[in-house]
Amino acid sequence: MEEKKFDLNSIIGFVLIFGILIWIMYQNQPSDKEIAAEKAKKELVAKQEAQAKTDKTKTAVLPVAATTPGDTVQLAQLQKTLGGFAYSATLPSAKEGFTTLENEKMILKIANKGGYIVETTLKEFKKFEKNSGQLVELIKDNNSNLNIQLQTTDNRTLNSKDLYFEPTLTKNGADQILTMRLKAGANEFLEYKYILKSNDYLVGFDIRSQGLNKVLNSAKPLDLQWDLKSYRNEKSVSIEKRYAQLEYEYGDEKYSSVSLGVGKEDTPEKVSYIAFKQHFFTAILATDKAFEKSKLQSDDLVKDEKIDTTYIKQFRATVPLAFTNGEVDYKMSWYFGPSDYKILKSYDKNFEKIIPLGWGIFGWINKWIFIPLFGFLSSYIAYGIAIIIFTIIIKLAMSPITYKSFLSQAKMKVLRPEITELGEKFKKDPMKKQQETMKLYNKAGVNPMAGCIPALIQLPFMYASFQFFPSAFELRQKSFLWADDLSSFDAVVKLPFHIPLYGDHISLFPILAAIAIFFYMKMTSGDQQMAAPQQEGMPDMAKMMKIMIYVSPLMMLIFFNSYGAGLSLYNFISNLITIGIMFVIKNYIVDTDKIHAQIQENKLKEPKKQSKFQQRLQEVMEQQEAVKKQNKK
């Protein structure tokens, strides 16, 4: 075996490597300042943990902390490591803790860490298990954050949500004013100010900086980030998901919302308020000075309605806080409360726009007819009875239109034999048949469109009701007969399985509404078929009408099973009243013999002058007839 010998080169290599390691270790050991800062940090954390166990402070002004010169050095060094925000020895030191603001409407809990609201409880409203006594909580268990990204002059990014603010609570009459300051010195700070008035859902919220132009980079705006993961507060997950939406006002009082779905995003400019709206509750951030450009995001969190029953939506908003003369100064406000049209409108900030009342004439009907009328009735009588009386008033107001529609059908029914005769006579010439039919209508003084126009007039009221009742906050948790909540479905049977499109329960009011619409369509379809002229393809149309008699109630039964009982009650009463009105008109008001005699008398008179529309239609038919004859040549 060969004898091992020492290699001089190997020995030199080992020595160099060892020397390099010693040099690296020496260069990377902490300096005295860093050691002191780390020690101070550990001591401060230990003090905060000890203080948190005994600190039950709610609405008290924090006392000035006693410090020593050594504490001052350590705190300054610690804050330097956090980005340059140093405390003065003569001011309160930031520590773990919370401050609670409370009035008749709500309870707000604001954390020192981050300086933002960590709990919002509405004292007047309970969750969908109304007998459980659990109040509605819009913010709790870290479902919401408020953060400002602070860009320092030495190109570092700090997050305000990770830093500690110093709270000071004062009172100005009945107003509670909480000032939260993140300090960089005795007179240099970032400040949040919360102002809670008595008996109010609106919370004043101001953000301003002072003396931070040397600490923060003011070349570009600060990013304010607000996010909220909305809790489920209502019985129906599907309906709450449908009505939970991110709404905002921008530009010159324009209004819009982020599309429903997953990963939806808008980037509007000049935003004046942002609303994270649930079905019946909402959180709104409003600003006096519009945000120049915002990034708004919305995500559905309900993938499976049987499993995802805690959270409904994830909302996010990022808005710029612009510097003015090196400082930030924004006057804003929070709204935490019900999505109640009258309450929101009372603030005169266009908050009521978040209520989906429909566009155009539908919204007009809701704003100026449905809301005032129902509000008046419900202030004196129970909500279920108010819906019935409300429906009666609306249907009676529409009864003259119903009468005109039925009268037109009766006239058409009288003329039907003559129209059928014309159809047979000009069977091979459809254009001539149309011309002669129009002449007959004109001579008899009958307008074939008269039956359609009244029906069209009633459609906006029907659509407005579909918008009004699901948005009526007043109906929430108000009972009537077997329905314990008129704003949600009135389940009388809980199914052990889930039926697609229908659900896992059986609601009774939709069944009653479906039965009523079945008998209404059964009553009117025969008259409509008798009134309609016999034309080619009419047998197929008749079959279609018969099919619709069964399909329409079935669609209503499925569609309304998970909707609020108030809407189903309205449709049930509405169809009952319409059936009654039609029965009275048909049997006691409209006399077919008199109508026939009147038509015959009209035929003897000079035909009425055609309207411009009728003249134009006549001209078009004559031109088509002329072209047709020309082509035959």
Side-chain angles (χ1 to χ4, degrees):
M1 180 181 289
E2 182 178 356
E3 185 179 358
K4 292 184 178 180
K5 297 181 180 180
F6 287 106
D7 185 355
L8 181 61
N9 293 332
S10 298
I11 294 174
I12 295 173
F14 279 119
V15 170
L16 290 174
I17 292 172
F18 182 77
I20 292 171
L21 290 173
I22 293 296
W23 181 80
I24 291 173
M25 291 174 63
Y26 176 78
Q27 290 294 323
N28 285 278
Q29 70 178 357
S31 64
D32 293 340
K33 291 183 178 181
E34 291 173 331
I35 292 173
E38 183 63 26
K39 183 179 178 181
K41 182 177 180 180
K42 290 180 179 179
E43 290 177 354
L44 187 59
V45 170
K47 289 180 182 178
Q48 291 175 343
E49 291 176 349
Q51 182 67 24
K53 294 179 181 179
T54 58
D55 188 8
K56 302 281 186 185
T57 303
K58 294 181 77 177
T59 58
V61 179
L62 293 178
V64 176
T67 58
T68 66
D71 292 330
T72 304
V73 173
Q74 290 176 345
L75 286 169
Q77 290 172 340
L78 174 60
Q79 285 303 108
K80 186 175 182 179
T81 66
L82 293 175
F85 285 86
Y87 291 106
S88 169
T90 61
L91 295 172
S93 60
K95 56 185 178 182
E96 193 74 48
F98 304 90
T99 305
T100 300
L101 304 179
E102 182 175 355
N103 66 6
E104 296 83 354
K105 301 294 185 183
M106 59 183 167
I107 303 171
L108 301 177
K109 187 176 181 181
I110 298 98
N112 290 354
K113 186 177 181 181
Y116 59 87
I117 300 170
V118 293
E119 289 184 14
T120 301
T121 304
L122 301 181
K123 298 168 66 175
E124 298 178 314
F125 308 105
K126 296 177 182 179
K127 295 188 69 174
F128 60 94
E129 308 99 336
K130 67 176 182 178
N131 296 324
S132 70
Q134 186 177 357
L135 296 175
V136 170
E137 297 171 290
L138 299 184
I139 300 176
K140 69 170 184 176
D141 299 336
N142 299 315
N143 74 316
S144 179
N145 287 291
L146 184 75
N147 179 55
I148 295 180
Q149 286 192 337
L150 304 168
Q151 304 293 331
T152 65
T153 52
D154 55 354
N155 295 322
R156 281 180 290 177
T157 301
L158 302 175
N159 291 302
S160 65
K161 67 179 182 179
D162 299 326
L163 304 177
Y164 289 88
F165 287 65
E166 297 177 7
T168 302
L169 180 65
T170 59
K171 288 189 176 182
N172 182 11
D175 298 350
Q176 302 170 61
I177 304 172
L178 176 63
T179 302
M180 309 287 291
R181 286 183 176 177
L182 176 62
K183 295 181 178 296
N187 296 307
E188 296 88 31
F189 53 81
L190 175 68
E191 178 184 274
Y192 295 165
K193 182 181 287 185
Y194 298 90
I195 305 170
L196 182 62
K197 298 179 182 292
S198 176
N199 201 35
D200 202 347
Y201 294 109
L202 201 66
V203 183
F205 180 60
D206 300 341
I207 296 180
R208 74 180 184 98
S209 65
Q210 179 175 302
L212 298 184
N213 54 336
K214 294 181 180 180
V215 179
L216 299 179
N217 180 6
S218 59
K220 61 178 183 178
L222 299 177
D223 281 338
L224 174 66
Q225 302 164 334
W226 175 37
D227 64 80
L228 185 144
K229 190 158 57 172
S230 67
Y231 282 106
R232 173 194 177 191
N233 285 309
E234 310 305 327
K235 186 162 60 175
S236 175
V237 176
S238 61
I239 298 300
E240 187 161 11
K241 174 185 173 182
R242 183 176 302 170
Y243 285 93
Q245 198 158 354
L246 196 161
E247 319 274 354
Y248 58 91
E249 185 183 62
Y250 68 104
D252 186 17
E253 296 189 355
K254 297 176 183 178
Y255 180 77
S256 187
S257 57
V258 178
S259 301
L260 298 175
V262 178
K264 301 300 182 179
E265 180 180 309
D266 280 358
T267 55
E269 298 181 355
K270 301 291 184 181
V271 173
S272 53
Y273 73 72
I274 300 164
F276 293 167
K277 179 183 175 295
Q278 301 175 27
H279 187 185
F280 285 125
F281 299 96
T282 190
I284 302 175
L285 176 62
T287 177
D288 292 348
K289 181 168 60 176
F291 303 126
E292 285 299 322
K293 188 170 184 178
S294 305
K295 182 179 179 181
L296 309 176
Q297 298 169 287
S298 175
D299 283 287
D300 288 342
L301 299 180
V302 179
K303 306 297 185 294
D304 188 332
E305 294 178 7
K306 298 189 293 294
I307 300 173
D308 304 325
T309 58
T310 302
Y311 300 103
I312 302 297
K313 293 287 181 72
Q314 173 68 65
F315 299 121
R316 298 182 182 88
T318 302
V319 298
L321 301 179
F323 286 91
T324 303
N325 299 323
E327 301 291 353
V328 169
D329 190 3
Y330 276 78
K331 303 289 184 183
M332 297 185 286
S333 56
W334 296 103
Y335 174 87
F336 299 107
S339 301
D340 186 309
Y341 182 86
K342 288 180 287 188
I343 293 175
L344 293 170
K345 187 174 177 59
S346 68
Y347 290 106
D348 197 27
K349 293 179 178 288
N350 294 327
F351 289 167
E352 71 276 6
K353 289 182 179 179
I354 71 171
I355 307 299
L357 297 178
W359 54 272
I361 189 173
F362 312 117
W364 186 90
I365 291 171
N366 276 321
K367 290 177 185 177
W368 303 108
I369 300 178
F370 283 10
I371 290 176
L373 177 59
F374 187 75
F376 172 78
L377 294 172
S378 60
S379 63
Y380 292 99
I381 53 180
Y383 284 90
I385 303 299
I387 291 176
I388 294 174
I389 296 177
F390 171 85
T391 311
I392 293 172
I393 293 173
I394 295 297
K395 296 306 293 184
L396 288 178
M398 303 294 289
S399 59
I401 297 176
T402 305
Y403 169 74
K404 287 188 176 182
S405 179
F406 188 84
L407 182 62
S408 177
Q409 290 181 14
K411 289 180 178 180
M412 294 292 292
K413 184 178 178 180
V414 170
L415 284 178
R416 188 172 184 270
E418 296 181 56
I419 296 173
T420 303
E421 184 180 340
L422 289 174
E424 290 295 326
K425 183 177 180 180
F426 300 102
K427 188 175 183 179
K428 297 182 180 180
D429 192 346
M431 185 64 66
K432 185 66 174 177
K433 182 185 71 174
Q434 288 291 339
Q435 291 175 344
E436 293 300 320
T437 302
M438 291 298 295
K439 288 180 181 179
L440 175 63
Y441 287 149
N442 187 44
K443 190 175 181 180
V446 175
N447 184 356
M449 298 298 294
C452 300
I453 294 174
L456 292 175
I457 293 175
Q458 295 183 71
L459 280 177
F461 287 83
M462 183 182 70
Y463 181 80
S465 70
F466 281 89
Q467 297 291 321
F468 171 73
F469 284 100
S471 302
F473 181 84
E474 303 96 315
L475 298 180
R476 185 179 186 270
Q477 296 185 351
K478 299 300 190 299
S479 60
F480 180 66
L481 299 178
W482 57 85
D484 60 358
D485 186 349
L486 286 169
S487 72
S488 190
F489 53 83
D490 58 312
V492 292
V493 176
K494 179 70 175 178
L495 300 175
F497 48 85
H498 184 273
I499 302 175
L501 300 178
Y502 187 72
D504 58 359
H505 62 273
I506 298 176
S507 298
L508 184 52
F509 274 128
I511 294 175
L512 296 176
I515 293 172
I517 197 172
F518 171 79
F519 282 105
Y520 167 70
M521 295 191 69
K522 193 80 171 174
M523 176 186 288
T524 58
S525 63
D527 292 329
Q528 290 173 352
Q529 290 181 35
M530 289 294 293
Q534 188 74 19
Q535 297 180 10
E536 294 182 14
M538 186 56 69
D540 293 334
M541 182 61 68
K543 290 180 182 179
M544 185 62 70
M545 288 295 295
K546 289 181 180 179
I547 292 173
M548 289 302 296
I549 292 175
Y550 298 95
V551 171
S552 295
L554 182 62
M555 293 289 288
M556 174 167 280
L557 188 66
I558 295 173
F559 182 74
F560 284 95
N561 191 58
S562 293
Y563 259 80
L567 179 59
S568 298
L569 173 60
Y570 171 81
N571 280 283
F572 170 55
I573 300 299
S574 177
N575 284 313
L576 279 184
I577 295 171
T578 303
I579 290 172
I581 291 174
M582 294 293 289
F583 179 83
V584 171
I585 291 173
K586 183 177 181 180
N587 292 280
Y588 298 100
I589 297 178
V590 173
D591 189 328
T592 307
D593 293 334
K594 287 184 178 180
I595 292 174
H596 185 271
Q598 183 64 49
I599 289 177
Q600 298 306 317
E601 183 180 340
N602 290 340
K603 288 181 180 180
L604 300 176
K605 297 178 181 178
E606 286 292 328
K608 292 183 178 180
K609 185 178 180 181
Q610 290 182 328
S611 65
K612 291 184 178 180
F613 173 77
Q614 290 175 321
Q615 290 175 0
R616 181 58 183 162
L617 184 62
Q618 183 72 22
E619 290 174 1
V620 169
M621 288 191 294
E622 289 175 355
Q623 290 173 1
Q624 290 178 344
E625 182 68 17
V627 170
K628 185 177 178 181
K629 290 180 179 179
Q630 184 66 31
N631 291 335
K632 287 182 178 180
K633 294 179 181 180

